[in-house]
mmCIF file of all heavy atoms in Angstrom:
data_model
loop_
_atom_site.group_PDB
_atom_site.id
_atom_site.type_symbol
_atom_site.label_atom_id
_atom_site.label_comp_id
_atom_site.label_asym_id
_atom_site.label_seq_id
_atom_site.Cartn_x
_atom_site.Cartn_y
_atom_site.Cartn_z
ATOM 1 N N ILE A 124 10.938 -2.243 11.596
ATOM 2 C CA ILE A 124 12.254 -1.839 11.090
ATOM 3 C C ILE A 124 12.499 -0.339 11.344
ATOM 4 O O ILE A 124 13.580 0.078 11.740
ATOM 5 C CB ILE A 124 12.365 -2.175 9.592
ATOM 6 C CG1 ILE A 124 12.369 -3.682 9.382
ATOM 7 C CG2 ILE A 124 13.634 -1.551 8.991
ATOM 8 C CD1 ILE A 124 12.365 -4.107 7.918
ATOM 9 N N SER A 125 11.473 0.471 11.101
ATOM 10 C CA SER A 125 11.615 1.921 11.306
ATOM 11 C C SER A 125 11.947 2.244 12.743
ATOM 12 O O SER A 125 12.792 3.079 13.043
ATOM 13 C CB SER A 125 10.311 2.641 10.885
ATOM 14 O OG SER A 125 10.043 2.452 9.526
ATOM 15 N N LEU A 126 11.237 1.598 13.685
ATOM 16 C CA LEU A 126 11.485 1.839 15.102
ATOM 17 C C LEU A 126 12.877 1.362 15.512
ATOM 18 O O LEU A 126 13.557 1.993 16.343
ATOM 19 C CB LEU A 126 10.409 1.168 15.947
ATOM 20 C CG LEU A 126 8.976 1.654 15.729
ATOM 21 C CD1 LEU A 126 8.010 0.918 16.644
ATOM 22 C CD2 LEU A 126 8.867 3.168 15.963
ATOM 23 N N TRP A 127 13.297 0.254 14.940
ATOM 24 C CA TRP A 127 14.645 -0.263 15.253
ATOM 25 C C TRP A 127 15.717 0.710 14.755
ATOM 26 O O TRP A 127 16.688 1.004 15.466
ATOM 27 C CB TRP A 127 14.821 -1.630 14.600
ATOM 28 C CG TRP A 127 16.212 -2.186 14.724
ATOM 29 C CD1 TRP A 127 16.796 -2.712 15.847
ATOM 30 C CD2 TRP A 127 17.199 -2.256 13.684
ATOM 31 N NE1 TRP A 127 18.085 -3.110 15.561
ATOM 32 C CE2 TRP A 127 18.367 -2.850 14.248
ATOM 33 C CE3 TRP A 127 17.211 -1.883 12.337
ATOM 34 C CZ2 TRP A 127 19.514 -3.066 13.508
ATOM 35 C CZ3 TRP A 127 18.363 -2.098 11.593
ATOM 36 C CH2 TRP A 127 19.497 -2.685 12.184
ATOM 37 N N VAL A 128 15.551 1.237 13.541
ATOM 38 C CA VAL A 128 16.521 2.184 12.993
ATOM 39 C C VAL A 128 16.541 3.445 13.838
ATOM 40 O O VAL A 128 17.624 3.978 14.166
ATOM 41 C CB VAL A 128 16.158 2.515 11.535
ATOM 42 C CG1 VAL A 128 16.997 3.696 11.025
ATOM 43 C CG2 VAL A 128 16.368 1.302 10.630
ATOM 44 N N ALA A 129 15.364 3.943 14.229
ATOM 45 C CA ALA A 129 15.308 5.166 15.035
ATOM 46 C C ALA A 129 15.931 4.953 16.418
ATOM 47 O O ALA A 129 16.624 5.828 16.934
ATOM 48 C CB ALA A 129 13.865 5.624 15.181
ATOM 49 N N SER A 130 15.714 3.789 16.994
ATOM 50 C CA SER A 130 16.296 3.512 18.304
ATOM 51 C C SER A 130 17.808 3.448 18.242
ATOM 52 O O SER A 130 18.501 3.954 19.128
ATOM 53 C CB SER A 130 15.738 2.188 18.846
ATOM 54 O OG SER A 130 14.342 2.256 19.030
ATOM 55 N N ARG A 131 18.348 2.858 17.187
ATOM 56 C CA ARG A 131 19.803 2.788 17.062
ATOM 57 C C ARG A 131 20.416 4.169 16.835
ATOM 58 O O ARG A 131 21.474 4.473 17.383
ATOM 59 C CB ARG A 131 20.177 1.872 15.876
ATOM 60 C CG ARG A 131 19.899 0.402 16.123
ATOM 61 C CD ARG A 131 20.632 -0.461 15.130
ATOM 62 N NE ARG A 131 22.079 -0.252 15.262
ATOM 63 C CZ ARG A 131 22.992 -0.850 14.466
ATOM 64 N NH1 ARG A 131 22.584 -1.656 13.494
ATOM 65 N NH2 ARG A 131 24.271 -0.635 14.655
ATOM 66 N N ARG A 132 19.729 5.001 16.057
ATOM 67 C CA ARG A 132 20.283 6.320 15.776
ATOM 68 C C ARG A 132 20.189 7.249 16.987
ATOM 69 O O ARG A 132 21.061 8.106 17.178
ATOM 70 C CB ARG A 132 19.554 6.939 14.581
ATOM 71 C CG ARG A 132 19.840 6.252 13.260
ATOM 72 C CD ARG A 132 19.151 6.972 12.115
ATOM 73 N NE ARG A 132 19.473 6.371 10.823
ATOM 74 C CZ ARG A 132 19.038 6.826 9.642
ATOM 75 N NH1 ARG A 132 18.279 7.920 9.622
ATOM 76 N NH2 ARG A 132 19.371 6.216 8.530
ATOM 77 N N SER A 133 19.144 7.096 17.748
ATOM 78 C CA SER A 133 18.931 8.008 18.871
ATOM 79 C C SER A 133 19.579 7.510 20.171
ATOM 80 O O SER A 133 19.809 8.286 21.091
ATOM 81 C CB SER A 133 17.432 8.217 19.120
ATOM 82 O OG SER A 133 16.838 6.980 19.501
ATOM 83 N N GLY A 134 19.824 6.204 20.267
ATOM 84 C CA GLY A 134 20.411 5.652 21.469
ATOM 85 C C GLY A 134 19.405 5.387 22.570
ATOM 86 O O GLY A 134 19.802 5.062 23.683
ATOM 87 N N ARG A 135 18.122 5.511 22.288
ATOM 88 C CA ARG A 135 17.094 5.172 23.272
ATOM 89 C C ARG A 135 15.886 4.579 22.553
ATOM 90 O O ARG A 135 15.727 4.731 21.347
ATOM 91 C CB ARG A 135 16.681 6.404 24.057
ATOM 92 C CG ARG A 135 16.314 7.619 23.227
ATOM 93 C CD ARG A 135 15.879 8.763 24.093
ATOM 94 N NE ARG A 135 15.634 9.977 23.349
ATOM 95 C CZ ARG A 135 14.894 10.964 23.786
ATOM 96 N NH1 ARG A 135 14.329 10.901 24.964
ATOM 97 N NH2 ARG A 135 14.713 12.054 23.042
ATOM 98 N N GLY A 136 15.063 3.885 23.307
ATOM 99 C CA GLY A 136 13.929 3.179 22.715
ATOM 100 C C GLY A 136 12.892 4.109 22.091
ATOM 101 O O GLY A 136 12.536 5.134 22.684
ATOM 102 N N VAL A 137 12.410 3.762 20.927
ATOM 103 C CA VAL A 137 11.347 4.506 20.264
ATOM 104 C C VAL A 137 10.182 3.536 20.082
ATOM 105 O O VAL A 137 10.347 2.472 19.494
ATOM 106 C CB VAL A 137 11.808 5.071 18.893
ATOM 107 C CG1 VAL A 137 10.687 5.837 18.222
ATOM 108 C CG2 VAL A 137 13.014 5.965 19.091
ATOM 109 N N GLU A 139 6.850 4.352 18.913
ATOM 110 C CA GLU A 139 5.768 4.684 17.999
ATOM 111 C C GLU A 139 6.307 5.331 16.731
ATOM 112 O O GLU A 139 7.270 6.086 16.777
ATOM 113 C CB GLU A 139 4.773 5.648 18.656
ATOM 114 C CG GLU A 139 3.942 5.004 19.738
ATOM 115 C CD GLU A 139 2.930 5.987 20.326
ATOM 116 O OE1 GLU A 139 3.236 7.193 20.330
ATOM 117 O OE2 GLU A 139 1.865 5.552 20.747
ATOM 118 N N ALA A 274 12.309 2.385 5.088
ATOM 119 C CA ALA A 274 12.399 2.243 6.541
ATOM 120 C C ALA A 274 13.855 2.183 7.003
ATOM 121 O O ALA A 274 14.228 2.790 8.004
ATOM 122 C CB ALA A 274 11.647 0.991 6.986
ATOM 123 N N GLY A 277 15.527 5.450 7.403
ATOM 124 C CA GLY A 277 14.932 6.376 8.353
ATOM 125 C C GLY A 277 13.749 7.135 7.835
ATOM 126 O O GLY A 277 13.364 8.157 8.422
ATOM 127 N N HIS A 423 11.864 12.688 16.332
ATOM 128 C CA HIS A 423 12.653 12.095 17.420
ATOM 129 C C HIS A 423 14.095 12.410 17.100
ATOM 130 O O HIS A 423 14.672 11.835 16.185
ATOM 131 C CB HIS A 423 12.439 10.581 17.484
ATOM 132 C CG HIS A 423 13.276 9.917 18.540
ATOM 133 N ND1 HIS A 423 12.944 9.958 19.866
ATOM 134 C CD2 HIS A 423 14.422 9.209 18.461
ATOM 135 C CE1 HIS A 423 13.849 9.288 20.560
ATOM 136 N NE2 HIS A 423 14.746 8.842 19.724
ATOM 137 N N GLU A 426 15.521 12.842 13.235
ATOM 138 C CA GLU A 426 14.695 12.232 12.195
ATOM 139 C C GLU A 426 13.413 13.025 12.022
ATOM 140 O O GLU A 426 12.378 12.715 12.571
ATOM 141 C CB GLU A 426 14.369 10.761 12.550
ATOM 142 C CG GLU A 426 15.580 9.890 12.629
ATOM 143 C CD GLU A 426 16.362 9.933 11.327
ATOM 144 O OE1 GLU A 426 15.731 9.755 10.265
ATOM 145 O OE2 GLU A 426 17.568 10.160 11.364
ATOM 146 N N LEU A 430 9.581 9.987 13.605
ATOM 147 C CA LEU A 430 9.423 9.191 14.803
ATOM 148 C C LEU A 430 9.341 10.076 16.032
ATOM 149 O O LEU A 430 9.961 11.114 16.122
ATOM 150 C CB LEU A 430 10.575 8.206 14.943
ATOM 151 C CG LEU A 430 10.659 7.237 13.737
ATOM 152 C CD1 LEU A 430 12.025 6.632 13.680
ATOM 153 C CD2 LEU A 430 9.597 6.181 13.841
#
Side-chain angles (χ1 to χ4, degrees):
I124 293 175
S125 297
L126 298 181
W127 174 74
V128 170
S130 297
R131 290 197 61 183
R132 291 184 177 182
S133 64
R135 51 178 175 160
V137 180
E139 289 182 330
H423 178 78
E426 297 303 311
L430 300 161

